[in-house]
Amino acid sequence: MRILVLSDSHGNVENMARCVELTQPNAILHLGDCQRDAEALHRLYPATPLQGVPGNCDWGAVDSPEVLTEYGGVRILLMHGHTRNVKASTLSAIYAAKEMGAQILLFGHTHRPLVDYDGSLWVMNPGTIGRGSPCTYGIITISGGKVDCSTYRI
């Protein structure tokens, strides 16, 4: 299973669509800023499941800012990260993921790509697909119970 992870699109649906074409994912996760972009992407690729959470720029959003989900038997905690103050430190988000039994923690907000693995928890920030140089995205590969997380430049 290949999961495309996007965050901080800030109106750049074109870059997200390029990522879908490049990676041909089985599912897409959008980590906020901006939810309307994720909705537009889903209209372009309705056959690909898309799940997301709101970010700090998604004013008026009523969806939960953190979602624990499962793909391919792997538990994944999605968040934008602003509610856990990830710009200052990722520890609060990491502790939350471990308390919830997640195997992968995904967050955005900082616009800086990150991949880390401590032996029990993958931590990934795909960076920003919408603004910045470079624009980046993440890929989670789940195969035979094994997980790999990577980030790439578009």
Side-chain angles (χ1 to χ4, degrees), residues 65-129:
E66 297 180 9
V67 172
L68 183 64
T69 189
E70 189 172 312
Y71 287 86
V74 176
R75 292 170 60 107
I76 304 171
L77 178 59
L78 286 68
M79 65 175 68
H80 182 65
H82 62 296
T83 56
R84 298 280 180 172
N85 201 22
V86 296
K87 284 187 178 180
S89 171
T90 58
L91 285 178
S92 176
I94 290 169
Y95 291 149
K98 288 186 176 197
E99 286 175 8
M100 293 181 197
Q103 293 156 282
I104 303 173
L105 165 64
L106 300 176
F107 68 92
H109 191 51
T110 68
H111 292 207
R112 291 186 308 269
L114 166 74
V115 175
D116 190 35
Y117 182 62
D118 70 1
S120 65
L121 179 68
W122 284 93
V123 177
M124 182 167 70
N125 181 333
T128 177
I129 194 61

Side-chain angles (χ1 to χ4, degrees), residues 127-143:
T128 177
I129 194 61
R131 293 184 185 166
S133 180
C135 289
T136 55
Y137 64 95
I139 294 289
I140 300 169
T141 305
I142 302 170
S143 179

